[in-house]
């Protein structure tokens, strides 16, 4: 045991027990005070640092104050018609039906005779709001919209509608108001939300939008002002066609209703074209037909699958080129990748029947500058789209002017961001490639004046690419500082945790850095004061710099917290020096043990991080651990073959559940069978515990009290309640399925069963096994009543594994005492640090918080995917309440999630008592391991991708950040059950220590 590393049992030269003195109580009081302060600091730190992701990943890219860039040529069109078929997949639009007929005959004729076509590539999240923002405003979803639930605009932005002389818009109440509610020169109308009925064919919504537009034109014949409004230039007309999206969700994109809706939007496009041409009759109208996103085969959208990102684009009318027929097929891929990560110029499917016509694909944000150029409007101020010149029918001079206007608009954004950052920076770092942007613009102007249009176009394209790189540079300008600050803060916090554990729960506090020296050594107090004063001055200096740079308030908090944590570390310089001296005096083997244990810990924690996206890792983990644990029991604890088989089977049993779907399917019969399984496990455990008499190994966890128990029939009563709960599961479910409601009598019985079951473990015997069996049965009844499927069986599987963990720890303790009982008792004497008989932590003890972390995270996924609230079935609470009550239902769901965690913590507390480990010391090690994972999740937060991917990355980081409070709360809850738990061998060992 000697020389076990920094957390070793005792130093080689410490051969005498540490005697308890009057200062010991004072020391323990100081430790408790420091721990309360440390917990409060941890809560504050994690709350503040959790907000940092919104300053790093979810900061709006929108800036204001840029001057619009007007077009320097006569626009080819007076008005623009924008038709957006919400949820229309490109393949369903272009491909023929089963009879070989195409679903969009009018738009196909446009492609072949009048205009241009291609695929518009949408960037995830492929949802209606970001899709329309990209089409109309020219930029991709503002990531700060996460703070508004992706619904409202956290920062108002410019769009084609803003720049128009007037805009008419008709369609969904979820889309049209985003762009028109704050535009005074707009006329818009939406249908009520009640119209969006998933139970019917939603094609009538598309007809509604067309009818509104037609009525406006008809009304203008009797309204001169409206007529004059319609005849002016720079006019935009927007029809939002929601039918395909609603029908895709309700009936799937392969259904006849969805496919028929494709014909409907084609018919509406033809009707709009005929109506506009007959009304204006001036060939001055440009038309754009596209979609905001596609639709997956399951009737959903949001991610980056091609069925969601590939949308059709058809343009025709004034200023749009006609079709270009290909002689030699499509050109080779030039390496360019679209925003949905698809290759450039991918081959057109043969079944579309369009392989002979040039296809021009665009990024979705490119449509905004295309529309603006067609009607002579400045590009939206925040647009990042490239103008697709292949769609425009312009001469060379006008093409270059249009491209240059697009470049200037993006460059203006860059210059504005650069100016704002320079204005608020004491040490400004410019974007070096565009330091001489004015000379680049002058060169382009000179090339245009010399009519070298090809060279001017190349230079303009290069300048535009540099401007976009510059925008990204300033969008992430503070990332290095913020990420370094937050990372250093987390490392500083973890370092403080390590120092606290070393000072309070290891032999180092008494052997290499005696308490009396800590209290009264000359010079130490003045050094600490100087360090704290230096930390305060540094915080003041950094805050002053942040203030002069007009930094957000949270920037001050991030820096202050990080400096404070490292100040605390530096103030422990004497202890750090002592640790270094101790490490230097150790043998190489001792240091290698510590390094190997640290490497193993990091490996396990990284596997846990990966398990949030790959739950099957737990399956392989338990399959492997089951074999290793069984071999350990078989080889080192002779005569315990049954225990080895038990541990192996328990691990393999639980490995099944991490392969189950996160969305738990209903299976009432499985829940009822689980009740019987719970009772059988309880009976088997009770019988096994009763055989402990005379068995030294079983004495570790079984305490046979000769006194008469307070409730001799408690076990039988608890088992009866579990059986009764299983019966109520069947009765409540069957009655509700027939009557569509829950009887009041059933509710009262279910509530009573849950409440009584939770109280009964308090009256159980104090022995480790007896108390754990009672807790297992007491939590089983409410869990069964809240279960709907396989999670009820998971409860038993988790309990079996927890019991296996306790058996393995008993085997380790038995093996240690058996090898050298006298040496073990002596080490217990030396390492006892408090009146509760808790010993010092050792390197090998790190396995206990590590195993706890694994099982705690397994419990996260046993009742569904904890990281995604969408995986929880509200039907879990229907045996307690059926009337919608969000707070009570949420409370019941959270309580259901807590039950597996409480089981794990109860087993953890039992093991710390069994091994005589300080529970708070182990708690701080658990938080230390949690924060290793937190740092990893901090760098995995995403601001691109589907909203599910973005939301899950935030929730993963939030879950790990909240564990400092979450685990502490669960410790407090389970302490009600475990505080008076006693270990069978404790009295014997305590007598030897005395």
């Amino acid at each position: 045991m000697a020389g076990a590393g920094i957390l070793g049992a005792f130093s080689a030269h410490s051969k005498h027990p540490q005697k308890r003195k009057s200062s010991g109580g004072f020391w323990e009081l100081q430790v408790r005070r420091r721990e309360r302060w440390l917990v409060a600091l941890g809560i504050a730190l994690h709350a503040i640092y959790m907000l940092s992701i919104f300053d790093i990943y979810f900061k709006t890219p929108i800036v204001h104050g840029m001057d619009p860039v007007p077009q320097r040529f006569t626009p080819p069109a007076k008005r623009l018609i924008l038709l957006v078929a919400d949820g229309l997949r490109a393949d369903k639009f272009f491909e023929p039906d089963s009879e070989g007929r195409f679903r969009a005959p009018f738009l196909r004729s446009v492609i072949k005779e009048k205009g241009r076509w291609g695929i518009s590539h949408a960037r995830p999240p492929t949802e209606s709001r970001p899709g329309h923002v990209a089409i109309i405003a020219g930029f991709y979803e503002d990531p700060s919209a996460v703070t508004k639930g992706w619904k409202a605009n956290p920062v108002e932005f410019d769009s084609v509608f803003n720049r128009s002389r007037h805009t008419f818009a008709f369609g969904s109440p979820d889309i049209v108001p985003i762009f028109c509610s704050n535009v005074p020169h707009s006329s818009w109308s939406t249908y009520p939300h009640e119209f969006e009925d998933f139970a019917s064919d939603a094609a009538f919504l598309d007809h509604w939008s067309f009818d509104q537009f037609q009525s406006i034109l008809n009304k203008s014949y009797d309204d001169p002002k409206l007529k004059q409004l319609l005849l002016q230039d720079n006019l935009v007309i927007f029809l939002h066609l929601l039918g395909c999206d609603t029908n895709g969700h309700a009936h799937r994109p392969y259904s006849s209703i969805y496919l028929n809706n494709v014909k409907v939007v084609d018919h509406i496009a033809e009707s709009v074209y005929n109506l506009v041409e007959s009304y204006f009759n001036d060939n001055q109208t440009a038309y754009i037909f596209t979609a905001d996103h596609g639709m997956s085969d399951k009737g959903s959208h949001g991610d980056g699958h091609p069925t969601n990102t590939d949308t059709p684009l058809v343009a025709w009318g004034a200023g749009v080129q006609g079709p270009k027929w290909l002689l030699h097929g499509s050109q080779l891929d030039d390496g360019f990748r679209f925003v949905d990560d698809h290759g450039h110029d991918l081959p057109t499917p043969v079944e579309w029947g369009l392989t002979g016509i040039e296809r021009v694909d665009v990024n979705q944000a490119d449509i905004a500058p295309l529309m603006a150029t067609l009607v002579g409007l400045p590009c939206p101020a925040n647009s990042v789209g490239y103008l697709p010149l292949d769609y425009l029918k312009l001469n060379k001079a006008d093409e270059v002017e249009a491209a240059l206007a697009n470049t200037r608009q993006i460059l203006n954004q860059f210059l504005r961001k650069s100016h704002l950052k320079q204005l608020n920076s004491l040490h400004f770092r410019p974007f070096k490639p565009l330091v001489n942007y004015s000379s680049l613009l002058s060169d382009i102007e000179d090339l245009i004046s010399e009519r070298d249009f090809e060279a001017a176009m190349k230079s303009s394209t290069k300048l535009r690419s540099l401007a976009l790189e510059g925008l990204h540079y300033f969008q992430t300008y503070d990332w290095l500082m913020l990420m370094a600050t937050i990372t250093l803060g987390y490392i500083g916090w973890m370092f403080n945790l390590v120092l606290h554990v070393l000072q309070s729960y290891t032999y180092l506090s008494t052997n290499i850095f005696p308490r009396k020296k800590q209290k009264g050594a000359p010079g130490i107090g003045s050094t600490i004061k100087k360090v704290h004063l230096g930390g305060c001055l540094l915080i003041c200096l950094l805050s002053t710099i942040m203030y002069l740079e007009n930094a957000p308030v949270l920037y001050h908090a991030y820096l202050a917290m990080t400096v404070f944590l490292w100040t605390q570390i530096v103030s422990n310089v004497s202890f750090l020096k002592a640790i270094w001296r101790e490490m230097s005096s150790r043998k190489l083997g001792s240091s290698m043990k510590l390094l190997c244990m640290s490497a193993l810990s990091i490996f396990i924690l990284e596997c846990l991080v990966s398990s949030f996206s790959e739950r099957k890792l737990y399956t392989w983990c338990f399959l492997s651990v089951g074999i290793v644990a069984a071999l350990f029991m078989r080889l080192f604890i002779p005569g315990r073959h049954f225990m080895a088989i038990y541990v192996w089977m328990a691990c393999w049993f639980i490995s099944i559940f991490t392969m189950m779907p996160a969305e738990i399917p209903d299976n009432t019969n499985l829940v009822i069978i689980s009740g019987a399984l719970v009772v059988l496990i309880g009976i088997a455990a009770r019988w096994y515990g009763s055989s402990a008499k005379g068995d030294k190994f079983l004495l570790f966890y079984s305490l046979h009290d000769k006194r008469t128990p307070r409730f001799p029939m408690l076990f039988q009563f608890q088992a009866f309640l579990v059986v009764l709960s299983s019966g109520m599961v069947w009765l409540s479910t069957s009655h509700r399925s027939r009557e569509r409601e829950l009887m009041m009598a059933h509710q009262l019985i279910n509530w009573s069963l849950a409440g009584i079951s939770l109280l009964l473990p308090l009256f159980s015997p104090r022995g480790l096994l007896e108390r754990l069996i009672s807790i297992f049965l007491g939590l089983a009844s409410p869990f069964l009543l809240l279960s709907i499927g396989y999670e009820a069986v998971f409860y038993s599987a988790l309990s079996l594994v927890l019991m296996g963990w306790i058996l393995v720890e008993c085997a380790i303790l038995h093996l240690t005492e058996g090898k050298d009982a006298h040496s073990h008792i002596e080490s217990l004497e030396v390492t006892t640090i408090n009146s509760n008989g808790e010993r010092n932590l050792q390197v090998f003890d790190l396995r206990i918080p590590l195993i706890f972390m694994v099982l705690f995270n397994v419990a996260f996924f046993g009742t569904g995917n904890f990281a995604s609230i969408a995986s929880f079935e509200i039907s879990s609470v229907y045996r307690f309440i059926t009337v919608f009550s969000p707070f009570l239902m949420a409370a019941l769901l959270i309580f259901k999630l807590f039950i597996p965690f409480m089981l794990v913590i109860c087993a953890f507390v039992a093991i710390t008592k069994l091994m005589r480990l300080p529970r708070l010391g182990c708690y701080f090690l658990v938080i230390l391991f949690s924060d290793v994972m937190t740092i990893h999740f901090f760098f995995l937060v995403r601001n691109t991708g589907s909203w599910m991917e973005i939301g899950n990355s935030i929730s993963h980081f939030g879950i790990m950040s909240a564990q400092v409070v979450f685990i502490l709360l669960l410790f407090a809850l389970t302490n009600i059950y475990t505080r008076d738990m006693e270990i069978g061998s404790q009295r014997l060992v305590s007598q030897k220590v005395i």
Side-chain angles (χ1 to χ4, degrees), residues 224-483:
K225 289 185 178 180
L226 180 58
K227 180 82 171 180
Q228 184 180 2
L229 196 64
L230 287 166
L231 292 176
Q232 64 187 351
D233 58 359
N234 303 134
L235 183 72
V236 176
I237 298 168
F238 169 48
L239 299 188
H240 177 247
L241 311 175
L242 186 63
C244 286
D245 183 75
T246 304
N247 283 328
H249 287 310
H251 308 287
R252 308 294 184 268
Y254 282 96
S255 66
S256 59
I257 295 178
Y258 179 91
L259 298 176
N260 184 67
N261 211 141
V262 179
K263 300 177 182 178
V264 171
V265 295
D266 178 75
H267 176 70
I268 289 176
E270 181 178 16
S271 300
V272 168
Y273 174 74
N274 293 332
L275 186 63
V276 168
E277 291 302 315
S278 63
Y279 182 88
F280 295 103
N281 196 25
D282 57 1
N283 295 322
Q284 292 291 299
T285 306
Y287 301 86
I288 300 288
F289 175 89
T290 188
D292 55 346
H293 56 75
M295 183 72 61
S296 72
D297 293 344
K298 295 181 179 180
S300 62
H301 51 81
D303 60 24
H305 193 274
T307 57
N308 290 326
T309 60
D310 289 359
T311 62
L313 174 62
V314 181
W316 74 100
V320 179
Q321 282 198 46
K324 182 178 179 181
W325 294 87
L326 298 175
L327 298 177
H328 304 290
S330 60
Q331 61 186 358
L332 296 176
D333 193 336
D334 60 5
F336 176 79
R337 310 293 291 184
F338 290 102
V339 290
D340 59 350
D341 205 33
H342 291 177
H344 187 239
D345 289 329
L346 293 175
T348 301
V350 176
E351 60 269 20
W352 290 5
L354 298 171
T355 52
I357 306 174
E358 186 181 46
R359 165 182 148 194
V360 182
D361 287 9
V362 300
N363 286 321
Q364 198 168 56
D366 300 342
I367 298 174
L370 172 62
M371 295 191 297
T373 303
L374 285 171
V375 288
L377 301 174
C379 288
N382 298 110
S383 171
V384 295
Y386 278 26
L387 177 64
L389 293 170
D390 289 332
Y391 277 85
L392 294 171
K393 187 179 181 181
L394 300 173
N395 57 46
K396 289 294 183 182
D398 289 348
E399 273 190 3
V400 175
E401 288 290 354
L404 182 58
N406 181 211
T407 299
R408 283 180 179 274
Q409 169 265 319
I410 296 175
L411 184 64
N412 280 354
Q413 290 183 74
F414 163 79
L415 295 175
R416 181 61 178 169
K417 285 196 172 188
S418 177
H419 173 71
L420 291 175
K421 186 55 67 177
Q422 186 174 10
L423 202 62
N424 295 319
S425 296
L426 297 178
H427 176 64
F428 177 67
R429 305 185 307 276
F431 182 62
K432 293 181 179 179
L434 286 180
V435 170
N436 298 318
Y437 73 92
S438 56
S439 63
L440 295 175
L441 278 176
S442 298
D443 292 342
I444 295 172
E445 294 288 1
D446 292 341
L447 290 170
I448 292 175
S449 61
E450 295 170 4
R451 302 188 66 79
D452 190 351
F453 299 129
E454 185 174 348
M457 183 68 75
K458 288 181 180 179
S459 298
S460 179
T461 302
K462 182 180 179 181
L463 180 57
R464 181 174 55 189
S465 298
L466 288 174
L468 285 172
E469 290 177 18
L471 285 176
H472 179 73
Y473 172 80
F474 285 113
Q475 183 68 20
T476 60
Y477 188 86
D478 293 329
W479 277 27
L480 179 61
M481 183 273 291
L482 289 174
M483 285 185 162

Side-chain angles (χ1 to χ4, degrees), residues 560-614:
M561 184 67 75
T562 300
V563 172
F564 173 77
L565 289 167
W566 282 98
T567 300
Q568 291 297 113
I569 294 170
V570 176
S571 67
N572 284 282
V573 63
S574 300
F575 187 60
L576 292 171
K577 289 179 179 178
I579 293 175
W580 177 253
R581 287 194 301 270
E582 177 69 12
M583 287 293 295
S584 301
S585 65
R586 288 288 181 117
K587 295 180 180 179
L588 180 62
S590 178
S591 300
M592 288 303 297
K593 288 179 183 178
L594 177 62
L595 288 174
C596 290
M597 196 65 192
S598 300
L600 178 63
S601 300
I602 292 174
F603 173 76
I604 292 173
L605 294 173
E606 288 302 307
C607 289
L608 290 180
V609 169
S610 301
S611 71
F612 274 69
S613 54
E614 277 294 333

Side-chain angles (χ1 to χ4, degrees), residues 671-672 674-676 721-731 784-785:
V671 178
I672 296 169
S674 301
L721 291 182
V722 172
V723 174
L724 187 57
S725 298
S726 300
M728 289 306 300
V729 166
W730 174 79
L731 191 61
L784 289 173
L785 291 168

Side-chain angles (χ1 to χ4, degrees), residues 611-620 622 652-667 670-671 674 677 788-795 797 857-858 860-866 871:
S611 71
F612 274 69
S613 54
E614 277 294 333
R615 300 201 310 164
K616 291 181 181 179
L617 282 174
Y618 287 119
T619 299
W620 293 108
F622 281 110
W652 280 39
F653 182 33
I654 201 172
S655 69
I656 300 171
F657 294 91
T658 48
M659 299 179 68
M660 296 288 189
E663 291 75 20
I664 300 172
D666 288 354
N667 193 331
L670 200 57
V671 178
S674 301
L677 181 61
I788 61 171
Y790 72 76
E791 80 272 32
V793 185
F794 171 81
Y795 178 84
N857 280 275
V858 168
F860 267 105
F861 300 104
T863 53
N865 184 357
F866 191 88
S871 70

Side-chain angles (χ1 to χ4, degrees), residues 640 643 688-689 691-692 695-702 807:
R640 305 289 173 179
M643 288 186 186
Y688 192 64
S691 62
D695 192 324
K696 294 181 179 180
F697 181 84
L698 297 182
L699 279 173
F700 282 122
Y701 60 83
S702 184
L807 287 175

